[in-house]
Structure formats: C-alpha cells, structure tokens
Amino acid sequence: MVFSWLKKRRRKKTAAPPLPPSWAACLEESFQHWNALDGGEKQALEDIIQVLIAEKNWEGCNGFAITEEVQVTIAAQAGLLLIGIEHDYYQNVDSILVYPSTYKLPRSRQVGGAVSEDKTAVLGSAHHGGPVILAWDAARQGGRNADDGRNLVYHEFAHKLDMLDGMVDGTPELDADEFNAWVEVMTAEYDKLVSRSRKGKKSVIDSYGATDVGEFFASATESFFEKPVRMQAEHPRLYDVMQSFYHQDPARRFQRIREKKGP
Ligand SMILES: [Zn+2]
C-alpha cells in the first residue's frame, strides 16, 4: 500500500504538464495519429508519455543512441493503447530495448530430437516477464503512417497487455460482463482468419494473426487503430469487442478527420 502511494506521488511529479515544447513538436512530426485525438485524449496521452519516458529503462542496442525523438515516438504509440483503459503504465515492462533495424534472435528448433539454434531476423518482440524489443526503423515508420494497417509498437505492447493476466492467450484482463462476448467473437474471427489465410485470401487483419490466438489479438489491435473504418464495416462484431476493451472509437476519429478535409 505504502509503495503504491509513493509511486503515485512520484508519478504526479513526473507527469506534471505541460509537455516540453520539443516533445510536443516531436509528437506533431512523428506521431500522425496525434492530430486525430481530442483534447482529453491528448492530455491523457501526454501524461502516459511522460511516465513511460521517466520510469522505463530505455536501452539502445548495436550502438543505437536513444534520443528524445526515439522515446517520444515509441512512448506515444505504446501509450495510445492505454488512454481509455484502467492501467498502471505497463507495469510488466521494465525495459524498452531499441535496435536500429531488424535484429537477429536465437531460436531453438527441434530437429530430429536435437535442439538446433537458428537465427531469425525480427522487427520486434515482447518477452513474458522481460523487455519489449523494437527495431527503430519500423517503430518510426509506424508513428509516421497512421493508416497503413501495420504498427510494430501497437503489436508488441498489445502482447504486453495480453500478458498482464499471466497468459498469452489473446485475452487481456476484461470486465466480467465483457468476457463471454469477447471469447465468442474472438474465437469466431480467429477461425475465419485462419481459413481465409489458408486459402490465400487477404483480410483487414494481417495473416500473421492466424499464427495463434495471441498473435490474433496483437494483429487485430494494429488493424483496430490503423484501419478502424474498414474493420468496423467488414468485421462489426470484432470492432465492437475491441472498442469495448480499449474504450476508444478510432473509426469515429478517422471519419471526423475525413469530414474536416471535405470530399
Ligand atoms: Zn506478435
């Protein structure tokens, strides 16, 4: 109890608004989704950005230097997932490791009873009880492009939300009244994606989501924030359960921007 009270006090200090002007400029420049947010959402995100930058251990790998742009760009994307939900600033993430580009991950493979170490190039990963690892070029691209359907940072941090209840099973912590609808809709939508991807058919959700239910939730999160209008039109029930989990309506956000721009 005392610990969490102290933590809250410390947070109040670190999260004191306003954002340093150079960070604000960086958000405008590097996080395209920023201008789709309303005033309250921006304020919530500013708070989260400041806490994530102050409290996580940021490490550059392979000679990569962590700069203000790197931190603001990544913290903004990770923070977007949190602005509508009750959260504790990704308490299961101590460190954020950033490589300049794709990095090699040793992978154990069973080959005829023996385990063979194999190196595979990856863009990012989220480790149970460990860090989030990201390739900067992909994280940067994700921030600057709000609607191409791909976002490495959303993907990896969605895994971390999924892991909060101790299991990577595509089901994050939910309110009791959301649980049944979630399981029913996510199972049906996952099966649909598996069958479409087996036939080589594309979907608004990347076919990587057909790997397993954990990847399905992470990939669906990417589409929910990046292709919300299409997801809502083509998979309305999936959009509804994602919306009731994240407590955000990105489709309305994107439509508002379209209306502002005019036909
Ligand atoms: Zn994944």
Side-chain angles (χ1 to χ4, degrees):
M1 284 298 276
V2 175
F3 175 68
S4 73
W5 179 77
L6 285 172
K7 227 171 165 186
K8 269 190 190 124
R9 269 179 60 89
R10 188 155 55 90
R11 278 197 179 127
K12 278 238 160 67
K13 273 190 196 160
T14 50
L19 224 52
S22 58
W23 292 18
C26 186
L27 274 176
E28 294 277 348
E29 174 89 15
S30 308
F31 182 48
Q32 206 190 33
H33 206 113
W34 177 249
N35 287 314
L37 303 178
D38 68 27
E41 290 169 333
K42 282 183 174 171
Q43 217 172 10
L45 187 52
E46 285 183 3
D47 165 74
I48 296 166
I49 289 169
Q50 296 189 63
V51 172
L52 295 182
I53 291 178
E55 295 196 356
K56 304 303 176 191
N57 169 44
W58 295 77
E59 249 176 75
C61 305
N62 281 359
F64 185 72
I66 299 288
T67 62
E68 196 174 86
E69 183 200 358
V70 171
Q71 289 184 306
V72 172
T73 304
I74 293 172
Q77 294 175 75
L80 179 69
L81 273 53
L82 299 182
I83 62 175
I85 60 181
E86 248 183 73
H87 69 89
D88 195 12
Y89 303 93
Y90 296 110
Q91 69 270 37
N92 57 349
V93 177
D94 288 332
S95 299
I96 297 165
L97 312 186
V98 190
Y99 283 80
S101 189
T102 50
Y103 58 97
K104 304 269 191 201
L105 200 70
R107 189 171 59 168
S108 299
R109 229 167 20 112
Q110 290 287 133
V111 183
V115 177
S116 132
E117 285 289 26
D118 168 11
K119 296 247 178 182
T120 170
V122 293
L123 284 174
S125 54
H127 297 259
H128 216 340
V132 170
I133 310 178
L134 301 164
W136 169 239
D137 51 4
R140 183 175 184 274
Q141 162 70 14
R144 284 169 184 255
N145 192 327
D147 58 5
D148 65 353
R150 305 302 302 270
N151 190 296
L152 175 69
V153 180
Y154 300 163
H155 184 103
E156 300 306 338
F157 279 87
H159 279 317
K160 280 293 184 181
L161 290 178
D162 187 5
M163 287 169 188
L164 277 174
D165 62 1
M167 280 179 292
V168 191
D169 56 0
T171 304
E173 287 178 323
L174 297 164
D175 292 340
D177 59 336
E178 291 169 353
F179 188 79
N180 288 343
W182 178 275
V183 172
E184 189 213 324
V185 172
M186 294 301 268
T187 306
E189 292 286 343
Y190 171 67
D191 290 345
K192 224 190 279 177
L193 185 67
V194 170
S195 110
R196 283 184 73 83
S197 75
R198 276 196 193 129
K199 290 176 197 150
K201 286 187 181 167
K202 285 208 181 316
S203 161
V204 66
I205 302 154
D206 192 275
S207 60
Y208 187 65
T211 309
D212 58 45
V213 285
E215 296 306 339
F216 181 73
F217 170 59
S219 301
T221 294
E222 292 180 72
S223 311
F224 177 68
F225 287 104
E226 294 250 335
K227 298 246 176 231
V229 175
R230 196 177 146 200
M231 183 192 264
Q232 193 175 36
E234 294 175 11
H235 304 261
R237 297 186 71 214
L238 177 61
Y239 187 86
D240 283 352
V241 292
M242 296 292 283
Q243 187 188 354
S244 72
F245 170 65
Y246 281 112
H247 295 280
Q248 296 189 50
D249 190 354
R252 225 182 107 222
R253 226 175 254 161
F254 277 39
Q255 272 154 352
R256 215 170 42 216
I257 294 176
R258 266 184 212 167
E259 281 157 21
K260 257 195 218 163
K261 279 186 189 156

